[in-house]
């Protein structure tokens, strides 16, 4: 230990190695960069476990209130473009970074990986992210519950209208298995990201250059419908009961995103956590996630 400590201090070049790869966090719906009970405590925990690490918890907007509001109402494609710009300008990230997204932050960081290869993302860790979207919004952590009722109503009646797609984040990853074609044609975020309309080779190439794509699914998740979306599975088209796993789905069999090739090469990691949405212990985090942050 002592000699490693000395090495870290004597050699500037090695200091980066010694203090770990930088980490970028993206919070979930209704949350913010810096809530001491959520991202704040995750940031602190990582900083304690990997001394010297640079952790950037993304704030979307000018302050915490805007950050929370934007998680419902700022077009995701705009959010991703803003984040790409921020990461490209951050001097501490230029050698590359790991990324960890919570809930919808998981699929948003995948968009960053697919669209913005520079600086390079090494490992992408999705904690309860919904890679095939959601069909249902059973809980909604907003301070004002009437907002949730309103959002739910829009999702169920008008998710694929231009207005909802432009302005409602959850509509942009709303995946209605009873109307797959409408989803495919109109989803401005998720259908594009999952190459439903056409294959953008650079999305595929960029995703495949990740070292690991780690997907955490919560086994008792009551928030995400269906929870299989956290492992890139979803309802079989035409109904909302039977599930197709990632490996059975066309995005994999046709390899539109490179996921099949990544799977064969051991780049996909499927982790299960025995709790409700985003509920995990420090012990679980330390043994399952920490190895991907080094
Ligand atoms: C493919 O994705 C890249 C990266 O986001 C983008 O610059 C390019 O315009 C896309 N190509 C097409 C044909 O949409
Ligand atoms: C989806 O787009 C295709 C091609 O533009 C069109 O033929 C089809 O009618 C559209 N379907 C729906 C449900 O919007």
């Amino acid at each position: 230990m002592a000699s490693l400590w000395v090495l870290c201090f004597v050699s500037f070049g090695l200091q980066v190695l010694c203090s770990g790869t930088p980490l970028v966090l993206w919070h979930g719906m209704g949350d913010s960069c810096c809530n001491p009970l959520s991202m704040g405590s995750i940031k602190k925990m990582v900083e304690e476990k990997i001394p010297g690490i640079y952790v950037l918890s993304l704030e979307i907007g000018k302050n915490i209130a805007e950050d929370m509001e934007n998680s419902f109402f700022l077009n995701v494609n705009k959010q991703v473009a803003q984040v790409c710009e921020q990461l490209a300008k951050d001097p501490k990230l230029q050698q590359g970074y790991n990324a960890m997204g919570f809930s919808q932050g998981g699929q948003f960081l995948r968009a960053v990986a697919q669209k913005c290869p520079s600086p390079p993302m090494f490992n992408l860790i999705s904690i309860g992210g919904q890679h095939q979207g959601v069909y249902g919004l059973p809980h909604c952590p907003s301070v004002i519950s009437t907002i949730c009722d309103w959002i739910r109503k829009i999702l169920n009646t008008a998710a694929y209208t231009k207005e909802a797609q432009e302005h409602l984040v959850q509509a942009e990853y709303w995946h209605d298995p009873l109307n797959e074609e409408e989803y495919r044609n109109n989803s401005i975020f998720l259908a594009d990201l999952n190459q439903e309309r056409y294959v953008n080779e650079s999305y595929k190439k960029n995703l495949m250059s990740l070292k690991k794509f780690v997907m955490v699914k919560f086994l008792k998740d009551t928030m995400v419908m269906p929870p299989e979306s956290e492992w890139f599975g979803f309802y079989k088209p035409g109904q909302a009961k039977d599930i197709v796993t990632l490996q059975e789905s066309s995005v994999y069999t046709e390899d539109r995103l490179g996921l099949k090739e990544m799977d064969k090469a051991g780049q996909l990691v499927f982790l299960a956590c025995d709790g409700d949405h985003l509920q995990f212990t420090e012990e679980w985090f330390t043994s399952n996630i920490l190895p991907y942050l080094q």
Side-chain angles (χ1 to χ4, degrees), residues 110 114 184 189-205 251 254-258:
R110 177 161 64 85
Q114 289 178 208
R184 195 180 309 126
F189 172 70
L190 195 65
D192 169 65
L193 200 64
N194 288 353
Q195 315 258 51
E196 296 284 0
R197 289 189 283 269
Y198 60 91
V199 173
N200 182 328
E201 287 299 333
S202 71
Y203 280 12
K204 189 171 171 177
K205 178 169 152 274
V251 70
E254 295 166 6
D255 214 13
R256 293 198 304 269
L257 265 175

Side-chain angles (χ1 to χ4, degrees), residues 25-33 35 38-39 58 60 64-74 76 79 101-108 127-130 134 136-145 147-152 155 168-174 221-225 277-278:
L25 306 176
W26 197 330
H27 63 77
M29 172 176 79
D31 200 1
S32 74
C33 61
N35 181 343
S38 63
M39 292 306 104
L58 292 166
I60 313 297
I64 300 228
E66 261 190 42
D67 191 12
M68 289 170 68
E69 196 183 306
N70 285 339
S71 75
F72 293 105
F73 304 118
L74 180 62
V76 184
Q79 297 193 41
F102 292 80
S103 200
Q104 67 183 17
Q107 61 265 31
F108 299 173
I127 312 271
Q130 302 102 41
V134 295
L137 195 71
H139 307 293
C140 158
S142 171
V143 267
I144 311 161
S145 72
I147 291 191
C148 295
D149 293 339
W150 180 78
I151 290 178
R152 216 172 267 127
L155 291 175
L168 180 59
V169 166
Q170 288 69 37
E172 295 157 13
Y173 60 84
W174 186 255
D221 205 311
T222 59
M223 174 110 179
V224 170
M225 295 173 78
H277 197 56
L278 307 187

Side-chain angles (χ1 to χ4, degrees), residues 225-243:
M225 295 173 78
E228 286 74 10
S229 187
E230 298 175 4
W231 278 355
F232 231 119
F234 204 66
Y235 295 119
K236 192 191 283 181
Q239 49 89 64
K241 187 167 166 286
D242 297 335
I243 295 290

